[in-house]
Amino acid sequence: MDRIKITGGARLEGSIPISGAKNAALPLMIASLLTEDRLTLKNVPNLADVNLLARILRNHGVDLAVDGKRSGGTPHLGETFHLTARDISDTTAPYELVSRMRASFWVLGPLVARMGVAKVSLPGGCAIGTRPVDLHLMGLRELGAEIEIDAGYVIAKAPKGLVGGHVLFPTVSVGATHNVLLAATLAKGETLIENAAREPEVGDVASCLVKMGAEIEGIGTSTLRIQGKPRLEGAVHTVLPDRIETGTFAFAVAATGGDVVLEGARRELLRNALDTLATTGASVSDTETGVRIQRNGNRLEAVDVETQPFPGFPTDLQAQLMALMTRAHGTSVIRETIFENRFMHVQELARLGADIKLHGDTATIKGVKALRGAPVMATDLRASVSLVIAGLMAEGETIINRVYHLDRGFERLEEKLSRCGARIERISAG
Ligand code: UD1
């Protein structure tokens, strides 16, 4: 297995291209199941999760052609995918594939909407918590799907097609919102989704669906009203920039005391996180091409944060903020309200000398004067990248093991950082 070696202490300077958002690219690719026509997605990031979903979609019969990057093209624009689901040859998503990536469960809604039947493996547990799918099933039942669970599979049936319904989510779920929204575009009549997730990636998917001929009101709000259509058409859509990658690099620059422009980043997609960063004393400003992060020699101030659904502080940046706070001036308190077990990075940060106390869903981080490099273990996607930030701040050498977690969600991470002066390299398992 590959490892990453970081020698800490280098200042980051220059620019970092921000890739297309993983969390939008995945449901956008799944949207291709809704039409016989070609869906073209631009700015798709080259990530392990995207490649795995491509395999899953091919398994359903989706034809996928990929254009590479054009030489001399805009550096932060990714690949172009042409997806055509002319015939869906298989309505089953098998355990071997779904268990490796939760978001693949979201094929359930579109498949049952278009084909009247779908059999999708339950995704199973995951390192950051139990992550149930009850809200997905509740939503699809509201649209008339008959659902049973058999031998680890969800079997959804709607032989006469789905019908519009009223879905009121008791808690905000990004995945359940995607699943029901995608399905509702092909249901007969009107669907009302209340307490929908307002994450920008949901808005991006909804805008693409509108280009495909769907009728959706309330995009960007927690109330979505969808008029179902008998069929959708092809479209061309550009994936929005990744706000989690943006926030991660913003925190990395603040951590090392650098000056970097995050090319293609859009501040409004992560206002809360960037405002939090500004409160610590780093400077955040808009440029013509992206967002600039600067920090002079001052020590950052501690901040208290609670993770919340959008527009609150994202859970996907909690680990990275914690890494930053390990060296802040003062004590910060971070409360994780979305996932119950998303603190695996705490033990690993402690190996570098961080002073963190955990109490239930709350971590108290006392800033220390210095971290010292050590071997550490990546445990999940966002935890891994918090170790990269800590390694960049630490004195001496940090080796991160199990970096396949990073490759799931960060495109060319070492290259992007080393081009700005970080001493980071991948050691291939050979
Ligand atoms: C998505 C994101 C992930 C992010 C998360 C929260 C993608 C590919 N993944 O994950 O990066 O961390 O949103 O912003 O976009 N829940 C239930 N029942 C359900 C579904 C969810 O109780 O049926 C709970 C979960 O356990 C969790 C909370 O709702 O506590 C939020 O989860 P959800 O928004 O669904 O996360 P994902 O869509 O899996």
Side-chain angles (χ1 to χ4, degrees):
M1 268 184 273
D2 288 5
R3 292 176 297 162
I4 282 184
K5 181 170 118 183
I6 301 171
T7 308
R11 213 178 119 81
L12 298 184
E13 257 174 80
S15 69
I16 298 180
I18 297 301
S19 297
K22 168 181 87 77
N23 286 357
L26 299 175
L28 284 166
M29 288 168 70
I30 290 174
S32 69
L33 291 169
L34 294 167
T35 174
E36 293 166 15
D37 299 340
R38 182 156 99 168
L39 176 64
T40 295
L41 299 176
K42 296 184 178 177
N43 198 27
V44 178
N46 187 355
L47 299 170
D49 274 8
V50 166
N51 296 331
L52 180 59
L53 181 62
R55 270 182 64 193
I56 293 171
L57 292 176
R58 281 198 181 102
N59 196 53
H60 293 303
V62 177
D63 179 73
L64 168 61
V66 180
D67 295 346
K69 288 189 194 210
R70 284 204 194 96
S71 60
T74 317
H76 59 264
L77 286 186
E79 293 174 326
T80 298
F81 278 21
H82 305 284
L83 301 121
T84 315
R86 194 166 308 285
D87 298 302
I88 293 183
S89 49
D90 191 342
T91 52
T92 299
Y95 175 72
E96 305 80 76
L97 296 175
V98 178
S99 58
R100 289 167 57 189
M101 186 186 44
R102 238 188 101 76
S104 54
F105 186 74
W106 307 349
V107 300
L108 183 68
L111 282 177
V112 71
R114 177 158 161 204
M115 304 300 291
V117 62
K119 183 175 170 186
V120 178
S121 170
L122 283 165
C126 132
I128 64 172
T130 46
R131 298 181 92 175
V133 291
D134 54 322
L135 301 176
H136 299 240
L137 304 188
M138 182 271 267
L140 294 175
R141 281 195 176 108
E142 289 295 334
L143 303 191
E146 283 166 28
I147 293 181
E148 55 178 291
I149 294 175
D150 184 38
Y153 279 80
V154 174
I155 301 162
K157 287 183 190 150
K160 293 194 184 130
L162 295 176
V163 283
H166 182 187
V167 179
L168 170 59
F169 287 121
T171 46
V172 177
S173 161
V174 173
T177 303
H178 280 308
N179 224 333
V180 175
L181 169 65
L182 291 163
T185 58
L186 289 183
K188 246 176 251 132
E190 179 177 291
T191 296
L192 182 65
I193 308 179
E194 289 189 89
N195 203 20
R198 281 181 286 164
E199 268 62 6
E201 294 75 22
V202 174
D204 202 37
V205 170
S207 313
C208 176
L209 291 169
V210 168
K211 291 182 196 161
M212 293 167 72
E215 215 181 303
I216 306 171
E217 272 173 46
I219 296 178
T221 75
S222 54
T223 305
L224 296 172
R225 196 181 288 276
I226 303 119
Q227 311 298 335
K229 300 281 170 188
R231 65 180 300 275
L232 296 185
E233 308 155 4
V236 178
H237 184 79
T238 302
V239 180
L240 88 174
D242 196 315
R243 66 194 163 98
I244 304 304
E245 190 196 26
T246 305
T248 300
F249 286 129
F251 290 0
V253 174
T256 59
D259 182 354
V260 170
V261 175
L262 304 173
E263 300 286 346
R266 275 169 42 197
R267 192 167 172 174
E268 78 275 10
L269 301 179
L270 69 161
R271 195 162 290 282
N272 187 305
L274 292 179
D275 286 353
T276 302
L277 183 60
T279 314
T280 69
S283 138
V284 179
S285 54
D286 290 313
T287 71
E288 260 173 39
T289 55
V291 175
R292 181 176 180 184
I293 311 292
Q294 292 163 281
R295 189 191 127 205
N296 57 23
N298 293 348
R299 203 166 165 197
L300 295 180
E301 293 299 324
V303 282
D304 294 345
V305 160
E306 191 174 285
T307 61
Q308 288 293 340
F310 192 85
F313 188 94
T315 173
D316 285 350
L317 285 174
Q318 179 257 106
Q320 296 90 315
L321 178 69
M322 195 180 297
L324 188 64
M325 290 296 99
T326 59
R327 290 231 21 231
H329 175 244
T331 299
S332 41
V333 177
I334 300 183
R335 187 166 163 246
E336 171 59 58
T337 73
I338 311 285
F339 293 110
E340 79 265 28
N341 190 23
R342 204 170 209 185
F343 280 133
M344 271 95 56
H345 43 286
V346 169
Q347 293 300 328
E348 302 300 311
L349 291 171
R351 291 180 52 74
L352 302 178
D355 181 348
I356 306 173
K357 296 217 167 24
L358 265 186
H359 203 76
D361 63 2
T362 303
T364 304
I365 305 112
K366 207 162 142 194
V368 293
K369 288 243 162 60
L371 298 178
R372 232 172 279 283
V376 288
M377 190 83 81
T379 49
D380 73 60
L381 173 54
R382 311 304 176 186
S384 333
V385 85
S386 77
L387 300 175
V388 172
I389 294 177
L392 292 171
M393 288 191 288
E395 290 166 4
E397 196 175 283
T398 297
I399 302 274
I400 305 178
N401 293 290
R402 295 203 185 156
V403 297
Y404 56 86
H405 290 291
L406 274 179
D407 298 332
R408 285 188 42 217
F410 289 91
E411 190 177 36
R412 298 181 288 119
L413 179 94
E414 319 86 88
E415 188 191 317
K416 289 187 183 188
L417 284 170
S418 61
R419 275 182 40 202
C420 290
R423 285 172 302 211
I424 177 168
E425 61 179 301
R426 182 177 290 248
I427 308 169
S428 277

